[in-house]
Amino acid sequence: MEYIDFEDKNIVVVGGTNGMGLHLVHKLLELKANIIVLGRNINKPELNDIKDKCHFLACDISNSKEIDDTFDHIHDKFKTLHFAVNNAGVTAPYSNISELDIDKWKKIIDINLTGTAHCLKREIQLISQNKSGAIVNISSCAGLQALRMQAAYSVSKAAINMLTQVAAIECAVDHDGAHSIRINAVAPGPILGGMNNEENLQKNPEKTQRKLSITAMKRFGTAEEVANSVLWLLSQKSSYTTGVILPVDGGFNSGKFN
């Protein structure tokens, strides 16, 4: 599928220094976008080959001042945004609610929900200077179905889904009809990479099999498949789509499988 929407357009990828976010950055580079990459660590060796092709900004989205300072810088340098992807997020150790560590709960909510909401606020302000634009939030299948032992993560992603839909109806058209911002979310299932790297999968084959068994397709997804879904939602190929939470999960959300 060819895209012409992104050439010379400004797009911020929050959480774009590893995993699915970094894969998306590489895809956007192929599409000749002007990419602003936000991440806590922008000095990773794996970023060296694209350091001169993107604008990297260090930002911890659990820190509201850092978010404001970062988006002030984006405004000063780029004046406007056309697209945004909010991919930053963290997980927590498995725990029953009865044994929940409230400090870890707060950390998850601060980053996954509050930090994303703050970024979304600033992105909407910058994108609304244009006639149209689009934002994609990265949610999770854990935000669509309850998962045992993952209360903080699941609640944070379920809240992202609702945040996405509230923002979508608020930004579908402004009161003067001057601009429209489409806002959607992608909810990935088990994706290769990160915690699902080859070493971890081989180390615990029983756990690996459990992850595979929750999907109808009986396989892991790839960062490429997630990136393709994000690009479609950002592009004009989905021009009548807003407020959607798109599962990219091999059928996990469709039911339970043996």
Side-chain angles (χ1 to χ4, degrees):
M1 186 179 293
E2 293 184 4
Y3 294 102
I4 60 172
D5 309 69
F6 307 110
E7 187 169 354
D8 295 326
K9 297 294 174 61
N10 300 334
I11 176 167
V12 63
V13 180
V14 181
T17 59
N18 55 40
M20 292 185 292
L22 181 56
H23 192 91
L24 178 64
V25 167
H26 281 280
K27 297 277 286 186
L28 288 165
L29 280 172
E30 295 174 5
L31 298 169
K32 302 178 181 179
N34 299 324
I35 311 165
I36 304 114
V37 182
L38 274 57
R40 285 181 293 178
N41 182 1
I42 61 174
N43 296 309
K44 299 176 179 179
E46 56 265 38
L47 303 177
N48 289 341
D49 62 335
I50 59 171
K51 267 291 179 69
D52 61 343
K53 301 175 183 177
C54 304
H55 190 76
F56 283 88
L57 296 171
C59 183
D60 178 354
I61 69 165
S62 67
N63 185 316
S64 60
K65 185 179 185 304
E66 283 194 28
I67 293 174
D68 280 329
D69 288 347
T70 299
F71 278 90
D72 286 347
H73 173 83
I74 292 171
H75 175 265
D76 292 343
K77 185 172 180 64
F78 295 93
K79 307 306 179 188
T80 188
L81 287 174
H82 302 94
F83 305 101
V85 178
N86 293 305
N87 179 62
V90 292
T91 59
Y94 285 9
S95 171
N96 287 316
I97 294 175
S98 62
E99 300 170 349
L100 192 64
D101 184 319
I102 295 302
D103 287 334
K104 290 178 180 177
W105 166 280
K106 290 178 179 177
K107 178 184 176 182
I108 297 292
I109 298 300
D110 282 347
I111 295 174
N112 292 6
L113 178 57
T114 307
T116 297
H118 195 162
C119 290
L120 184 62
K121 168 191 171 181
R122 296 302 303 266
E123 292 157 1
I124 290 170
Q125 291 171 350
L126 287 170
I127 294 174
S128 63
Q129 299 175 34
N130 303 303
K131 186 176 180 181
S132 64
I135 300 171
V136 173
N137 296 321
I138 305 301
S139 179
S140 168
C141 63
L144 294 170
Q145 287 196 25
L147 298 181
R148 293 177 63 252
M149 312 283 284
Q150 295 188 48
Y153 184 73
S154 293
V155 167
S156 72
K157 290 302 186 177
I160 284 296
N161 295 342
M162 184 55 67
L163 176 68
T164 298
Q165 293 180 320
V166 171
I169 60 175
E170 288 181 356
C171 297
V173 62
D174 77 348
H175 64 281
D176 294 322
H179 70 265
S180 169
I181 305 174
R182 296 182 304 101
I183 303 176
N184 296 287
V186 166
I191 303 297
L192 287 172
M195 291 301 294
N196 292 322
N197 60 51
E198 187 174 346
E199 181 182 352
N200 286 343
L201 295 177
Q202 291 180 353
K203 190 185 302 181
N204 195 332
E206 187 176 323
K207 186 176 180 181
T208 298
Q209 190 54 46
R210 283 202 305 270
K211 289 181 177 181
L212 290 173
S213 69
I214 67 172
T215 72
M217 297 178 74
K218 298 295 183 286
R219 69 172 178 85
F220 288 97
T222 66
E224 175 79 3
E225 290 169 316
V226 176
N228 286 338
S229 299
V230 172
L231 290 175
W232 181 75
L233 286 171
L234 289 174
S235 78
Q236 280 299 303
K237 295 181 185 298
S238 63
S239 57
Y240 198 53
T241 303
T242 196
V244 162
I245 314 302
L246 176 64
V248 184
D249 62 4
F252 168 82
N253 193 54
S254 298
K256 295 297 181 183
F257 307 94
N258 296 318

